Amino acid sequence: MNFPYTRLVVIGTTGSGKSTLAEQLSQKLSLEFVELDAIHWRPNWTHVTDEEFRTLVDQATRTPRWVVAGNYRITREVIWPRAEAVIWLDYSLWTIFWRLTFRTFHRWWTNELLWGTNRESLWNHFKLWSDDSLWHWLFKTYWRRKREYPQLFAQSENSHLHILRFETPLQTETWLASLQSAEPNLLTAL
């Protein structure tokens, strides 16, 4: 399937697979990959100021072909007016919970480097009462996003957006597999 959009935003609750899908789309469709977490987080889990964040995101989305991974409300006014399509990973709470759990333990176990000098800390995530915990963040934002996104999509300023909503990872994978690469098939050109 030919996909006509070249400015995409992948949204969903933490752990839903936004960055993974956005990176796959960037490779398959030859789009610039813009990961909001990579722009937001600095060494030692400090973050840029809101003003600097918006400025950096503004610069990153001025090109004609990109896919953004992330939900930061503070950058929505920059990204969404420029976007052509929003891909919402609206998976069940338990699907996301298990994906997040696996990802968190994998990153911790492999000591994966994240955005500068940052690494996962299981202790922070086990502090379920703290916003530092991704599990806390999942439970805090899951239902809010399910209410908020349809309301945002219905606003007149977002009427230009083509919305793709996937409720299972299988739906997402099937759709991704159906997309044709932006690169011409050299075998058929010969």
Side-chain angles (χ1 to χ4, degrees):
M1 166 177 70
N2 283 329
F3 192 65
Y5 307 107
T6 59
R7 293 184 306 279
L8 317 172
V9 183
V10 181
I11 62 173
T13 305
T14 187
S16 60
K18 297 178 298 294
S19 296
T20 300
L21 178 60
E23 190 167 18
Q24 291 170 330
L25 286 167
S26 76
Q27 292 167 2
K28 191 162 196 170
L29 301 175
S30 298
L31 304 172
E32 192 78 27
F33 174 47
V34 179
E35 185 178 24
L36 295 183
D37 281 338
I39 296 171
H40 183 258
W41 292 110
R42 295 295 183 246
N44 300 315
W45 295 107
T46 58
H47 54 82
V48 297
T49 65
D50 290 348
E51 183 178 326
E52 184 180 3
F53 191 30
R54 277 192 299 269
T55 299
L56 293 169
V57 170
D58 175 60
Q59 292 168 356
T61 57
R62 285 193 178 271
T63 62
R65 301 177 58 82
W66 45 260
V67 55
V68 170
N71 299 315
Y72 289 86
R73 180 176 297 158
I74 196 154
T75 61
R76 191 178 299 140
E77 66 191 33
V78 174
I79 299 167
W80 284 32
R82 294 176 180 169
E84 297 171 320
V86 172
I87 301 163
W88 179 18
L89 303 180
D90 186 23
Y91 303 155
S92 74
L93 178 63
W94 293 113
T95 297
I96 297 172
F97 175 81
W98 289 115
R99 290 180 125 200
L100 178 63
T101 299
F102 176 79
R103 183 189 81 182
T104 301
F105 276 98
H106 180 264
R107 285 179 172 176
W108 169 76
W109 183 260
T110 61
N111 205 27
E112 183 179 337
L113 187 61
L114 304 167
W115 316 299
T117 61
N118 301 313
R119 299 185 190 278
E120 292 286 8
S121 164
L122 283 185
W123 171 245
N124 284 342
H125 298 308
F126 282 124
K127 294 190 291 186
L128 299 178
W129 60 89
S130 167
D131 278 347
D132 291 339
S133 167
L134 288 176
W135 289 301
H136 171 84
W137 196 250
L138 168 62
F139 289 108
K140 178 179 178 178
T141 61
Y142 180 81
W143 296 110
R144 181 177 70 203
R145 294 202 195 288
K146 283 187 96 53
R147 287 187 310 271
E148 179 183 54
Y149 286 145
Q151 293 170 356
L152 289 169
F153 300 151
Q155 293 176 357
S156 61
E157 64 263 32
N158 296 322
S159 64
H160 69 285
L161 294 170
H162 179 78
I163 309 299
L164 292 111
R165 179 181 176 198
F166 299 112
E167 296 178 316
T168 67
L170 181 59
Q171 283 180 337
T172 307
E173 291 161 15
T174 301
W175 172 78
L176 182 63
S178 76
L179 295 179
Q180 292 180 358
S181 174
E183 299 297 319
N185 186 335
L186 295 178
L187 293 178
T188 59
L190 295 176

